[in-house]
């Protein structure tokens, strides 16, 4: 009984397909996580900017601005 010989291209193509599949899944999961925490990130950013502006105004008032 003879076994058909592989041409040698199936291995790399299969590896590339699995790589693309896993990369796509990782990007999808990352997008969902970012989407889930985006309101929190925006809130933290706004609070940080407000704190910085208040600190900046307070520092300039102390220096005679």
């Amino acid at each position: 009984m003879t076994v058909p010989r592989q041409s040698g291209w199936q291995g790399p193509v299969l590896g590339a397909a699995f790589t693309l599949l896993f990369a796509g899944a990782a990007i999808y999961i990352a997008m969902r996580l970012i989407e889930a925490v985006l309101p929190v990130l925006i809130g933290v950013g706004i609070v940080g900017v407000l704190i910085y502006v208040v600190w900046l105004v307070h520092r300039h008032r102390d220096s005679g601005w």
Side-chain angles (χ1 to χ4, degrees):
M1 180 176 203
T2 60
V3 178
R5 201 177 58 138
Q6 291 186 351
S7 64
W9 61 268
Q10 289 97 346
V13 170
L14 189 61
F18 277 121
T19 300
L20 287 174
L21 179 68
F22 290 129
I27 290 171
Y28 174 76
I29 291 170
M31 285 174 36
R32 296 294 296 196
L33 286 172
I34 290 171
E35 182 182 0
V37 299
L38 191 59
V40 175
L41 292 176
I42 291 172
V44 168
I46 290 172
V47 168
V49 167
L50 288 175
I51 290 173
Y52 176 72
V53 168
V54 167
W55 173 78
L56 197 64
V57 168
H58 180 70
R59 190 180 67 154
H60 277 62
R61 278 195 184 170
D62 287 345
S63 67
W65 182 48

